[in-house]
């Protein structure tokens, strides 16, 4: 797993110009939202636009991810809106995993506040404990994203087998790939620098997911397996039909040749009988 993590960072650095190009709309929209949030004087139009960014930013974020996945997987069409079903599944999955990753932090902070722990130590300890629960689940289930883009979503049982790596290996991914994102998000105080660093670093997740799906074989779904089983049978049936048609044509040719031969002998005998003797 450490090799995959190392290759993911190499891929990220090598592909950074492409990632930066694809991320421009997301960075621009997030920067405008941050500027409006920190502005002292707001008009009604700016306020309405700020509220709209709560919907626009997740959509643009998902579109950027899907476009990059399509680009790295070599799709002929990079447009993320070309297929709405994977887009919606990706968006719902991302929101669900975001809740799973952040819920333990909220829960632990609430428990620590009940015991009278100061806010800053309670928050740091909650993030540290979330590394072993929420971020671990986020690291493991984020492998779904490239499968969604490729229309290879397995069942829950197949996915659990596909990601059935030791817990310590997924903790390595959570610590080396996902934990820096969390640290940058809370440590960088400058709003615009925070947006730039956090959003760009998040694309390391895509690089790791791609490396994982390239390393390990994607499980075959039940529908695909049944189709593969039926395919040879259908081919054999078609071969049998072709053989039957060929044999039938051959038999008809034999029968027709026999009939023509009989007709020829009949005509010759009739001619010989109709001849008058000299």
């Amino acid at each position: 797993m450490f090799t995959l993590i190392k290759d993911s960072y190499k891929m990220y650095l090598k592909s950074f110009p492409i990632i930066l190009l694809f991320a421009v709309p997301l960075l621009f929209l997030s920067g405008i939202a941050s500027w409006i949030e920190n502005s002292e004087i707001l008009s009604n139009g700016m306020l309405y636009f700020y509220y709209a960014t709560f919907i626009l930013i997740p959509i643009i974020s998902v579109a950027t991810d899907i476009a990059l996945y399509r680009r790295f997987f070599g799709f002929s069409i990079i447009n993320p809106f070309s297929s709405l079903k994977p887009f919606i599944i990706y968006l719902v999955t991302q929101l669900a995993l975001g809740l799973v990753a952040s819920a333990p932090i909220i829960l632990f902070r609430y428990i620590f506040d009940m015991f009278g722990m100061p806010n800053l130590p309670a928050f740091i300890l909650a993030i540290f404990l979330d590394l072993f629960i929420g971020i671990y689940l986020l690291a493991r289930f984020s492998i779904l994203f490239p499968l969604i883009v490729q229309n290879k979503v397995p069942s829950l049982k197949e996915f659990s087998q596909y990601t059935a790596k030791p817990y310590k290996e997924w903790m390595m991914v959570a610590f080396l790939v996902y934990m820096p994102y969390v640290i940058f998000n809370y440590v960088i105080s400058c709003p615009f620098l925070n947006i730039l660093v956090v959003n760009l670093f998040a694309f390391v997740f895509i690089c790791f997911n791609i490396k994982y799906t390239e390393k390990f074989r994607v499980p075959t779904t039940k529908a695909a397996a049944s189709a593969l089983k039926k395919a040879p049978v259908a081919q054999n049936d078609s071969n049998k039909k072709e053989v039957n048609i060929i044999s039938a044509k051959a038999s008809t040719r034999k029968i027709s040749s026999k009939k023509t031969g009989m007709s020829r002998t009949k005509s010759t005998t009739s001619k010989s009988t109709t001849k008058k003797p000299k």
Side-chain angles (χ1 to χ4, degrees):
M1 193 66 80
F2 181 75
T3 304
L4 287 179
I5 296 171
K6 184 174 63 174
D7 292 340
S8 301
Y9 277 101
K10 288 181 180 179
M11 178 182 177
Y12 176 76
L13 295 175
K14 184 179 179 180
S15 306
F16 186 78
I18 298 173
I19 293 172
L20 183 61
L21 179 64
F22 277 70
V24 167
L26 177 62
L27 295 174
F28 182 73
L29 184 61
S30 301
I32 293 177
S34 178
W35 177 76
I36 295 174
E37 184 180 1
N38 293 281
S39 297
E40 297 179 357
I41 301 174
L42 294 176
S43 62
N44 291 332
M46 293 174 62
L47 190 61
Y48 293 148
F49 180 79
Y50 175 72
Y51 292 144
T53 56
F54 288 98
I55 299 174
L56 292 175
I57 289 177
I59 293 176
I60 298 300
S61 176
V62 170
T64 306
D65 289 356
I66 294 176
L68 279 172
Y69 275 121
R70 285 174 170 266
R71 170 66 173 77
F72 288 136
F73 282 133
F75 278 63
S76 58
I77 300 175
I78 302 178
N79 182 12
F81 301 102
S82 59
S83 182
L84 291 180
K85 184 178 178 181
F87 186 92
I88 294 173
I89 296 174
Y90 194 110
L91 178 61
V92 173
T93 305
Q94 189 181 69
L95 294 175
L97 289 181
L99 292 174
V100 169
S102 59
I105 298 177
I106 300 172
L107 178 61
F108 287 132
R109 285 196 66 183
Y110 176 75
I111 295 173
F112 297 151
D113 288 339
M114 289 179 59
F115 287 97
M117 186 179 292
N119 290 329
L120 183 59
F123 183 65
I124 295 174
L125 184 58
I127 293 177
F128 177 75
L129 294 176
D130 184 56
L131 175 66
F132 300 93
I133 303 174
I135 300 178
Y136 154 75
L137 293 174
L138 177 63
R140 183 172 179 178
F141 281 88
S142 290
I143 304 299
L144 279 171
F145 292 131
L147 303 181
I148 292 172
V149 174
Q150 298 178 93
N151 292 318
K152 296 179 180 179
V153 181
S155 64
L156 182 60
K157 182 179 179 180
E158 291 167 341
F159 181 77
S160 62
Q161 294 175 354
Y162 182 55
T163 58
K165 307 301 176 186
Y167 179 78
K168 62 180 181 180
E169 292 188 6
W170 285 116
M171 284 305 305
M172 186 187 302
V173 177
F175 183 77
L176 296 178
V177 176
Y178 287 86
M179 198 61 183
Y181 171 85
V182 178
I183 295 173
F184 292 152
N185 195 17
Y186 291 108
V187 169
I188 301 176
S189 59
C190 178
F192 296 103
L193 184 61
N194 184 290
I195 289 171
L196 182 65
V197 174
V198 169
N199 281 284
L200 288 178
F201 187 84
F203 295 109
V204 177
F205 309 159
I206 293 178
C207 296
F208 174 78
N209 294 337
I210 290 174
K211 289 298 180 181
Y212 188 91
T213 54
E214 287 178 351
K215 176 69 174 179
F216 302 102
R217 185 177 179 182
V218 179
T220 306
T221 59
K222 293 180 180 179
S226 61
L228 289 173
K229 289 180 180 179
K230 291 179 181 179
V233 177
Q235 188 176 2
N236 291 334
D237 292 340
S238 62
N239 292 334
K240 288 180 180 179
K241 288 180 181 179
E242 291 179 358
V243 171
N244 291 333
I245 292 171
I246 293 171
S247 61
K249 287 182 179 179
S251 61
T252 52
R253 287 176 182 174
K254 289 180 180 180
I255 293 171
S256 62
S257 63
K258 287 181 180 180
K259 286 183 178 180
T260 53
M262 291 174 64
S263 62
R264 287 176 182 174
T265 53
K266 285 182 180 180
S267 62
T268 52
T269 52
S270 61
K271 286 181 180 179
S272 60
T273 53
T274 51
K275 279 185 178 181
K276 293 181 181 181
K278 293 182 179 178

